[in-house]
C-alpha cells in the first residue's frame, strides 16, 4: 500500500517507537458529539444508513483524539437487516430481530441482493476516506458468521450464545447452511467496502467464546479462514485483522490462518502469553481492559505501560480488549492516547 500509515505499516510488520492507536467502539455514546448527532438522526439505524451523518460520526473520534485509524460507523447486524430480518434497536434492550428457526426462513437468503440495501455503508466509507489525510487509515468491518448467526438464531443478544451449539447438534445441516450463506455475503460486503476505500478490514467474532473443539473450528475458524482467503485472493493489498473474543489459547489457531495480518486480543488474555505465542505469526492488536478507562489514572496507565513494554520490539497496534462502555469519560481516552504517544501520564 502506498499510503504511509503507521497503522497499516504495523500490520505489514513494522515496529515503531510508539505503536499506532485506535479503539474499538471509539465512536459511540461516551462521546457527547455522538449523542447529539444520534438524537438528530432519530434512531441508531437511521444514523447507520445516512452516509453524511455516519461519516461524520466515524470522524468524530479522529478529530477529538487524532487516532491513527477511523473505523467505519455501521453495525455487524446490517447484514441480517439486508436479509430482511426486521432489525430494530429497542432502548435499553439492545438489538431485536425476527429469529430464523426453519429452513424456509433462510431459503431465499442466497439470492438476496444485500449490497444494494447496504449502499449507504459504502458511501460512508468513500466519504470518510475522502475527508481523511493520507496517513490515517479507514477500517471496514463485518461480524464473523458465527457471531452474526447467534443474533439471527436467538433474535436478540444472549447471555451465553455458545449454548446455541445445541441447535447445531440437533440440526447440523441448517446451521452449516446459515453460516455458509453468511460467509458468502460477508465476502461480497467486505470486497465492496474495500472498493469503496477501506484500507483494512476487521472481523469481529465476539461470541466465539465457549464453543468446544471441533465446533469452534467448524463454525468460527473455518468460515473466517474462507473469508480471509477470498479477500486476499482478490484484494491482496488489504490487511485483515481477526478479533475472536474469549478463545484463549485457541487464538493460535486464528493467528495461524495464513491470510490474517492482525489478531485482536481481548482483556481476558494474558498479554505476555500473547507476546510469546502470537507475535511470531501476526501483528497483535489490543488487550487493554476497557473498564480501566472508566476510572483512568494509575491503574489504566500501568496496564497500558505493561502492554507497551511487552510489545515494544514486535509489530503491535494499541487498542482495547473490547469496546468502550458508554460511561467512559472522553478525558480519560485523551489522556490514554497521549500516554501511548509517549507524552507522559
Ligand atoms: O466505533 C466503532 O467501533 C464502530 C462502529 C461499531 C458499532 N458496533 C456501533 C454501535 C462496530 C464495529 C460495532 C460492532 C458490533 N455490533 C459488534 C461486535 C463488537 C462488539 O462490541 O462485541 C456487535 C456484537 C454488535 C451488535 C450490537 N450493536 C449490539 C449488541 C448493540 C447494542 C448494545 C448497546 O451498547 O446498545 C449494538 C448497537 C450499537 N452499535 C451502538 C453503537 C455505537 C449503540 C447504538 C446507540 O444506541 O447509539
Amino acid at each position: 500500500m502506498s499510503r504511509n500509515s503507521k497503522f497499516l505499516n504495523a500490520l505489514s510488520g513494522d515496529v515503531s517507537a510508539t505503536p499506532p492507536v485506535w479503539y474499538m467502539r471509539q465512536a459511540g455514546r461516551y462521546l457527547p458529539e455522538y449523542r447529539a448527532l444520534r438524537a438528530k438522526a432519530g434512531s441508531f439505524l437511521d444514523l447507520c444508513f445516512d452516509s453524511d451523518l455516519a461519516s461524520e460520526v466515524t470522524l468524530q473520534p479522529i478529530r477529538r483524539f487524532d487516532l491513527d485509524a477511523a473505523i467505519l460507523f455501521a453495525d455487524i447486524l446490517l447484514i441480517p437487516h439486508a436479509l430482511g430480518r426486521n432489525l430494530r434497536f429497542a432502548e435499553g434492550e439492545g438489538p431485536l430481530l425476527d429469529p430464523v428457526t426453519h429452513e424456509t426462513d433462510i431459503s431465499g437468503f442466497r439470492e438476496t441482493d444485500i449490497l444494494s440495501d447496504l449502499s449507504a455503508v459504502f458511501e460512508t466509507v468513500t466519504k470518510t476516506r475522502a475527508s481523511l489525510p493520507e496517513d490515517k487509515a479507514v477500517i471496514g468491518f463485518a461480524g464473523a458468521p458465527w457471531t452474526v448467526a447467534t443474533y439471527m438464531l436467538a433474535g436478540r443478544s444472549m447471555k451465553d450464545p455458545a449454548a446455541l451449539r445445541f441447535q447445531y447438534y440437533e440440526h447440523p445441516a441448517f446451521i452449516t447452511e446459515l453460516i455458509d450463506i453468511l460467509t458468502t455475503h460477508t465476502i461480497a460486503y467486505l470486497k465492496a467496502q474495500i472498493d469503496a476505500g477501506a484500507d483494512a478490514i476487521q472481523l469481529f467474532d465476539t461470541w466465539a467464546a465457549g464453543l468446544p473443539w471441533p465446533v469452534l473450528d467448524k463454525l468460527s475458524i473455518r468460515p473466517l479462514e474462507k473469508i480471509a482467503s477470498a479477500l486476499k485472493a482478490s484484494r491482496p493489498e488489504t490487511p485483515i485483522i481477526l478479533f475472536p473474543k474469549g478463545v484463549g489459547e485457541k487464538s493460535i489457531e486464528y493467528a495461524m490462518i495464513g491470510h490474517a495480518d492482525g489478531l485482536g486480543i481481548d482483556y481476558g488474555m494474558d498479554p505476555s502469553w500473547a507476546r510469546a505465542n502470537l507475535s511470531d505469526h501476526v501483528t497483535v492488536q489490543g488487550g487493554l481492559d476497557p473498564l480501566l478507562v472508566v476510572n483512568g489514572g494509575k491503574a489504566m496507565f500501568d496496564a497500558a505501560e505493561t502492554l507497551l513494554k511487552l510489545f515494544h520490539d514486535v509489530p503491535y497496534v494499541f487498542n482495547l480488549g473490547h469496546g468502550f462502555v458508554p460511561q467512559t469519560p472522553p478525558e480519560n481516552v485523551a489522556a490514554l492516547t497521549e500516554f501511548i504517544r509517549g507524552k507522559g501520564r
Side-chain angles (χ1 to χ4, degrees), residues 139-323:
I139 304 171
F141 74 91
W146 167 249
T147 288
V148 174
T150 65
Y151 290 95
M152 295 182 77
L153 291 164
R156 57 185 308 126
S157 298
M158 286 180 80
K159 276 220 172 67
D160 177 20
L164 288 167
R165 68 186 180 277
F166 187 67
Q167 295 202 27
Y168 174 65
Y169 298 146
E170 275 197 312
H171 307 289
F174 174 65
I175 302 296
T176 302
E177 173 70 358
L178 177 60
I179 296 278
D180 196 57
I181 290 167
L182 288 172
T183 301
T184 304
H185 282 311
T186 301
I187 291 166
Y189 179 50
L190 292 175
K191 280 184 184 171
Q193 290 184 29
I194 295 168
D195 294 345
D199 301 301
I201 291 297
Q202 175 152 316
L203 283 145
F204 291 87
D205 214 347
T206 306
W207 301 125
L211 288 179
W213 200 267
V215 182
L216 183 76
D217 186 56
K218 180 110 176 52
L219 301 184
S220 170
I221 298 174
R222 290 311 135 211
L224 285 173
E225 178 174 53
K226 198 168 167 186
I227 294 167
S229 94
L231 294 180
K232 278 286 141 124
S234 61
R235 312 288 189 279
E237 303 283 301
T238 307
I240 299 167
I241 305 167
L242 306 177
F243 178 58
K245 185 167 178 279
V247 298
E249 67 189 26
K250 293 290 189 299
S251 56
I252 293 177
E253 305 290 333
Y254 294 80
M256 299 291 275
I257 293 179
H259 310 287
D261 303 272
L263 190 81
I265 58 170
D266 62 78
Y267 57 83
M269 186 175 282
D270 172 1
S272 51
W273 182 92
R275 169 67 184 84
N277 292 282
L278 303 175
S279 288
D280 285 347
H281 307 292
V282 282
T283 296
V284 171
Q285 168 181 283
L288 188 79
D289 185 352
L291 296 191
L292 283 170
V293 192
V294 176
N295 290 315
K298 187 177 185 315
M300 173 183 82
F301 292 125
D302 285 352
E305 188 161 42
T306 299
L307 289 164
L308 294 181
K309 283 190 172 149
L310 270 171
F311 292 98
H312 80 281
D313 58 348
V314 286
Y316 177 65
V317 174
F318 195 87
N319 203 321
L320 307 169
H322 199 192

Side-chain angles (χ1 to χ4, degrees), residues 24-29 34 38 44 71-77 89 94-95 141 151 157 204 206 322:
M24 291 188 277
R25 288 275 169 105
Q26 63 190 22
R29 284 169 296 188
Y34 169 81
R38 163 85 153 70
F44 172 66
I71 182 159
L72 162 69
F73 189 81
D75 199 82
I76 64 161
L77 299 177
F89 285 83
F141 74 91
Y151 290 95
S157 298
F204 291 87
T206 306
H322 199 192

